[in-house]
Amino acid sequence: MSDTSLFVFSEELLAYKFNDEHPFNQRRLTLTLDLLKKHHAIRDDQIIKPRMATDEELELIHDRHYVNAVRLAGEGKLSTEKAVNYGLGTEDTPIFPKMHEASALLVGGTLTAVDAVMTGQSLHALNLGGGLHHGFRGKASGFCIYNDSSVAIKYLQKKYGARVLYVDTDAHHGDGVQWSFYDDPGVCTLSIHETGRYLFPGTGTINERGQGKGYGFSFNIPVDAFTEDDSWIDCYEAAFREVIEYFKPDVILTQNGADSHYYDPLTHLSATMKIYREIPRLAHELAHEYCNGRWIAVGGGGYDIWRVVPRAWSRVWLEMTDNDLSGPLSKEWIDSWQPESPVPLPQEWDDMEDMYEPIPRKPEITEKNALTLEKALYPIRSSRKTSASNEHS
């Protein structure tokens, strides 16, 4: 097991909790860490505690009045009318006690990971409590109050002068991060997600390419509903390789939502654990090839917290530490959590080949995704062809 990585965690991260019925459930952090511990894949000295983000850090992205509104809401001092204007007190982002403190800690966890990597304390760092990519400058959205990735990217720019490549593999488009840097040529965003035709937030088309000086630094691969592993991986690998070669970042920040899986209750994709091996594998490889290993990873979506998220998120840490586990899951982990799980827990690290009926439109979906990829990467590919022809003329 390699000692180049740090895992950001403390029990306080579980305080980000809307209510018992809400699909966003940070218990997945505990389930994931326990799975790693039961497999002896993480040591206590590899775990670091998150710090609280300061108001000044939050305001790198968020409006001061919004930060104050979140604080007041968590103290029960914000009127319903004002709360709704800030996206608070909705079905997606209900108000809960001390929500500012809980949210600021998630942001601080990602900043802790950033500092660990950028100061050379570690090559890679993982904050699974982060990845809240829908938060906007002055509004909560899609289960996200503060946008830790956006704050972290602005922090990377301001404190370390870094060019940042943000890669988002959540099934939902990484809208909040994209819009935060839409006109910034120092940040490149790549999001591969289910098409917004049927899924929140409805954005992330191939035509969203940035604006002003940032034009050409926003990439979206909206894959079709019911996309399976091979087509998904083809799109991801081609896009990541071509975008990183084009942008040449100093550091990679990956958002690792685990909601593209067939079992996820909120999305319509048909991926299996196969993609959750490939996502961190490629990020790790390219971080070493282009960024001297600098790789910061955060969590994100993932609403089957029993069968999917612990295995998918464990894969990020296992990849960071050059540890490849396969075969049966820890019997001790299964036995300790099965009494609480509403579904039978998986027995293996990987999914069974026949976990769902064949998708009848597979060839059509695969072809459509290949065309989407071609259109999304057209600016890179066309400029490459132009420069190649100029060299020969």
Side-chain angles (χ1 to χ4, degrees):
M1 196 191 305
S2 157
D3 265 332
T4 58
S5 307
L6 289 171
F7 187 104
V8 179
F9 180 79
S10 76
E11 292 288 335
E12 286 82 1
L13 289 173
L14 306 181
Y16 191 90
K17 181 179 179 180
F18 295 108
N19 54 55
D20 288 338
E21 286 73 46
H22 199 282
F24 190 97
N25 188 340
Q26 289 291 58
R27 199 169 185 200
R28 19 183 224 165
L29 300 177
T30 306
L31 288 159
T32 303
L33 182 56
D34 192 51
L35 180 59
L36 289 167
K37 285 184 172 181
K38 292 288 197 297
H39 279 274
H40 308 289
I42 191 167
R43 303 187 311 269
D44 288 344
D45 65 348
Q46 293 173 305
I47 301 172
I48 53 171
K49 290 195 169 190
R51 66 171 176 81
M52 187 87 69
T54 65
D55 282 11
E56 185 182 8
E57 288 164 344
L58 295 172
E59 289 163 21
L60 289 171
I61 288 293
H62 295 290
D63 183 81
R64 178 170 51 87
H65 299 293
Y66 173 62
V67 173
N68 191 48
V70 173
R71 182 181 276 108
L72 290 173
E75 294 170 357
K77 297 175 182 174
L78 192 69
S79 71
T80 303
E81 186 184 355
K82 282 188 178 176
V84 170
N85 286 338
Y86 288 114
L88 302 170
T90 64
E91 192 178 349
D92 274 1
T93 47
I95 291 168
F96 61 94
K98 296 194 172 178
M99 65 193 301
H100 164 78
E101 290 77 8
S103 306
L105 189 65
L106 296 191
V107 177
T110 302
L111 298 181
T112 300
V114 166
D115 283 332
V117 168
M118 299 307 288
T119 60
Q121 186 184 354
S122 65
L123 272 180
H124 320 311
L126 175 61
N127 175 32
L128 291 172
L132 304 186
H133 60 172
H134 296 306
F136 291 105
R137 175 169 174 75
K139 196 166 189 177
S141 175
F143 313 159
C144 307
I145 297 166
Y146 297 142
N147 193 321
D148 61 290
S149 293
S150 290
V151 173
I153 292 168
K154 190 63 89 172
Y155 182 83
L156 276 160
Q157 290 182 301
K158 190 174 176 186
K159 186 171 180 181
Y160 298 104
R163 282 169 67 77
V164 185
L165 173 59
Y166 171 80
V167 181
D168 190 316
T169 51
D170 196 288
H172 301 84
H173 176 229
D175 57 343
V177 183
Q178 174 182 291
W179 303 127
S180 292
F181 302 99
Y182 207 54
D183 58 358
D184 187 341
V187 177
C188 185
T189 61
L190 167 62
S191 179
I192 175 169
H193 48 268
E194 181 187 331
T195 170
R197 206 177 319 144
Y198 315 108
L199 190 69
F200 176 90
T203 52
T205 69
I206 55 173
N207 298 321
E208 292 166 22
R209 300 191 187 276
Q211 67 184 18
K213 290 182 179 178
Y215 185 81
F217 297 104
S218 172
F219 294 90
N220 288 291
I221 319 291
V223 297
D224 214 19
F226 309 110
T227 291
E228 297 178 77
D229 291 334
D230 293 345
S231 176
W232 196 98
I233 290 167
D234 286 348
C235 291
Y236 168 70
E237 180 147 14
F240 201 161
R241 286 190 184 281
E242 293 189 41
V243 168
I244 197 170
E245 169 60 26
Y246 161 76
F247 184 67
K248 295 186 170 57
D250 300 312
V251 59
I252 299 169
L253 171 59
T254 64
Q255 193 269 19
N256 295 269
D259 49 2
S260 296
H261 195 279
Y262 178 77
Y263 284 149
D264 195 272
L266 300 190
T267 64
H268 317 98
L269 297 175
S270 299
T272 73
M273 287 307 300
K274 187 176 177 183
I275 75 166
Y276 296 108
R277 280 180 174 271
E278 291 304 308
I279 288 168
R281 182 197 64 74
L282 187 62
H284 195 192
E285 176 191 323
L286 296 178
H288 282 285
E289 189 175 338
Y290 289 89
C291 306
N292 296 317
R294 288 187 290 268
W295 173 27
I296 299 147
V298 293
Y303 308 100
D304 189 319
I305 71 165
W306 301 98
R307 295 176 294 185
V308 177
V309 181
R311 292 186 297 161
W313 279 359
S314 289
R315 281 278 163 225
V316 184
W317 177 252
L318 293 172
E319 177 60 45
M320 282 185 168
T321 53
D322 301 309
N323 190 0
D324 185 22
L325 291 177
S326 56
L329 286 182
S330 158
K331 186 175 183 305
E332 192 184 351
W333 183 83
I334 294 168
D335 290 347
S336 63
W337 292 107
Q338 187 58 72
E340 296 183 54
S341 173
V343 290
L345 292 175
Q347 302 295 305
E348 304 267 335
W349 278 100
D350 295 300
D351 290 321
M352 294 182 297
E353 292 285 326
D354 58 349
M355 65 179 289
Y356 58 82
E357 294 289 318
I359 304 291
R361 290 176 51 242
K362 182 173 183 175
E364 182 190 330
I365 291 167
T366 301
E367 185 181 348
K368 194 171 177 184
N369 289 341
L371 191 61
T372 297
L373 176 71
E374 181 67 37
K375 289 177 180 173
L377 296 181
Y378 174 77
I380 295 177
R381 291 176 174 178
S382 63
S383 67
R384 219 165 39 211
K385 282 177 189 168
T386 305
S387 56
S389 65
N390 288 342
E391 282 173 20
H392 287 104
S393 59

